[in-house]
Amino acid sequence: MGPRSKIIGTGSFVPEKVLTNKDLESMIDTSDEWISTRTGIKERHIASEGENNSDLAILASKRALEMAEIDGKDLDLIIVGTLTPDMPMPSVACLVQCALGATKAGAMDVSATCSGFLYSLSIADKFVRSNPQMKILVIGSEVLSRRVNWQDRTTCVLFGDGAGAAVVTGGDEKGGIISTHLHADGSVWELLTIRGLGTKYPVDEEILSKGWQYIEMQGRDVFKHAVRALESVTNEALTAAGWEKPELDLLIAHQANIRILEYLRERLELPRDKVFINIHKYGNTSAASVPIALDEANRSGRLKKGDKVLMISFGGGFTWAGVTMEW
Ligand code: ACO
């Protein structure tokens, strides 16, 4: 096997404004108790007016570049996983490319909903394996608060804004990314959608009155698909990496619901400290969720050299993904 790709820097950024469950109690018919017990979320960060997806992505990226000790102009490629870009055109990646002065980098967005970061990381991994000199910035960034119907208590309590980033380059034969696993099932796409404001249902009175500009989710059905898919990709990834369940040092899963994380923890028979949890602080930040968690695990010293790490995600589409790596 040739040299693997390796993460040499991580960064994250969340907007300053915090919306707590208590705040939501005064906005809609809900309670801190319902939200906490059903989801594990206590608060989420919300972008302020004028604060956009690319702003969060740029700030997270600067932190990742600083840790990696490289300059924007050294980057060869920028990949952003997102479902809430500033605009349909240009991509968030191009805005990041300009802000970082990454003059020799290509730039593209990847549309894979909550799996956007792991899909993007998988693409970066393939590039770096074929050219280990490459330096690739991989980002997950979302401003979901602008695609949430703040009157709909079944969805608005779940989501938050933020961004996470990682710098990937060639490593040695030990450590780094071992395997990547991408999956999708478009047959059940209607269970989780933002139907409107694309080219099929462009802006018009009827679309807006139907609320199709917002996230719609059949929560219970999505839950069932999510646990099944996440367990399956976990088993597939562990087999590919040649790891037994007890060997895993840290599971970094998409932070969608504490009950999904708890279910996975039980199925994998992992102790509590091996499952990274920060959903209480951020809610579901979609593509930003895994890289924010990765950065927090990294900066807090939770990740040690040689640790066996599994990252998994699941989102609309449906898409799901897994990445194994040795830290
Ligand atoms: N406050 C109070 N009550 C509420 C709220 C709320 N915020 N929301 C719903 N309820 C009520 C419902 O109306 C319902 O009342 P009823 O029994 O009188 O009809 C009751 O609570 C139960 O509602 P359910 O939807 O059955 O609640 P559930 O236990 O399934 O939890 C949840 C809902 C949290 C959404 C859960 O289903 C879930 O987490 N699903 C998966 C989410 C996920 O993984 N998404 C994937 C990624 S997201 C992405 O890709 C962008």
Side-chain angles (χ1 to χ4, degrees):
M1 200 204 312
R4 291 181 182 150
S5 65
K6 184 178 174 181
I7 292 176
I8 57 165
T10 60
S12 59
F13 180 82
V14 291
E16 203 179 313
K17 189 165 142 197
V18 173
L19 186 71
T20 65
N21 292 350
K22 283 275 168 217
D23 296 331
L24 284 165
E25 283 179 358
S26 63
M27 294 163 58
I28 44 164
D29 179 15
T30 191
S31 66
D32 175 39
E33 201 265 333
W34 191 96
I35 303 170
S36 303
T37 52
R38 298 279 176 142
T39 72
I41 301 165
K42 296 299 280 182
E43 57 187 39
R44 69 287 291 142
H45 291 249
I46 304 290
S48 300
E49 209 183 321
E51 194 175 28
N52 296 307
N53 183 320
S54 59
D55 301 317
L56 311 186
I58 290 162
L59 289 164
S61 299
K62 285 184 174 168
R63 290 175 180 175
L65 290 178
E66 195 185 345
M67 186 185 287
E69 296 180 347
I70 68 163
D71 202 82
K73 65 177 174 1
D74 302 326
L75 290 169
D76 298 289
L77 183 60
I78 298 170
I79 315 175
V80 182
T82 188
L83 70 101
T84 51
D86 295 20
M87 300 171 261
M89 183 166 72
S91 63
V92 174
C94 279
L95 299 173
V96 174
Q97 181 271 338
C98 173
L100 298 180
T103 44
K104 70 173 167 117
M108 63 175 165
D109 286 2
V110 166
S111 174
T113 63
C114 301
S115 307
F117 177 76
L118 292 184
Y119 265 60
S120 302
L121 186 60
S122 304
I123 296 167
D125 176 57
K126 307 309 163 217
F127 271 106
V128 169
R129 277 180 191 250
S130 67
N131 178 1
Q133 303 305 317
M134 284 185 84
K135 293 183 175 60
I136 305 183
L137 178 63
V138 183
I139 305 165
S141 184
E142 304 282 10
V143 180
L144 278 163
S145 61
R146 300 210 182 117
R147 289 300 207 149
V148 155
N149 178 355
W150 289 101
Q151 314 297 317
D152 176 9
R153 68 173 184 172
T154 67
T155 52
C156 78
V157 303
L158 304 173
F159 299 101
D161 302 334
V167 179
V168 182
T169 191
D172 46 32
E173 293 203 13
K174 285 195 203 118
I177 293 174
I178 296 168
S179 67
T180 68
H181 310 269
L182 308 185
H183 295 283
D185 180 2
S187 70
V188 276
W189 67 269
E190 286 179 284
L191 296 176
L192 180 50
T193 57
I194 302 174
R195 284 168 205 259
L197 310 194
T199 50
K200 183 169 182 179
Y201 303 112
V203 194
D204 73 24
E205 284 300 320
E206 194 195 338
I207 299 304
L208 295 179
S209 70
K210 283 178 172 167
W212 281 10
Q213 67 275 38
Y214 299 127
I215 292 180
E216 290 180 86
M217 179 166 76
Q218 307 297 320
R220 265 187 209 184
D221 291 328
V222 174
F223 192 101
K224 285 183 207 148
H225 282 274
V227 287
R228 221 178 293 140
L230 289 170
E231 188 177 356
S232 150
V233 78
T234 293
N235 290 328
E236 178 188 337
L238 290 177
T239 304
W243 299 342
E244 296 298 328
K245 288 175 189 171
E247 284 181 71
L248 195 61
D249 292 298
L250 191 63
L251 176 70
I252 298 180
H254 173 44
Q255 309 283 305
N257 187 313
I258 192 82
R259 290 183 288 145
I260 296 178
L261 300 175
E262 191 53 30
Y263 172 88
L264 288 170
R265 190 186 71 75
E266 280 170 19
R267 297 289 292 184
L268 289 167
E269 298 165 24
L270 291 174
R272 286 214 147 70
D273 66 345
K274 288 192 175 184
V275 180
F276 194 84
I277 291 172
N278 64 7
I279 190 171
H280 52 290
K281 295 191 285 182
Y282 306 122
N284 180 346
T285 58
S286 186
S289 145
V290 168
I292 291 174
L294 176 67
D295 183 48
E296 287 198 342
N298 188 16
R299 285 175 192 264
S300 65
R302 174 64 191 78
L303 284 173
K304 305 265 183 302
K305 195 170 162 49
D307 271 1
K308 294 182 169 67
V309 183
L310 170 62
M311 297 184 282
I312 52 174
S313 60
F314 178 88
F318 290 141
T319 63
W320 61 103
V323 172
T324 55
M325 64 179 174
E326 249 166 51
W327 193 248

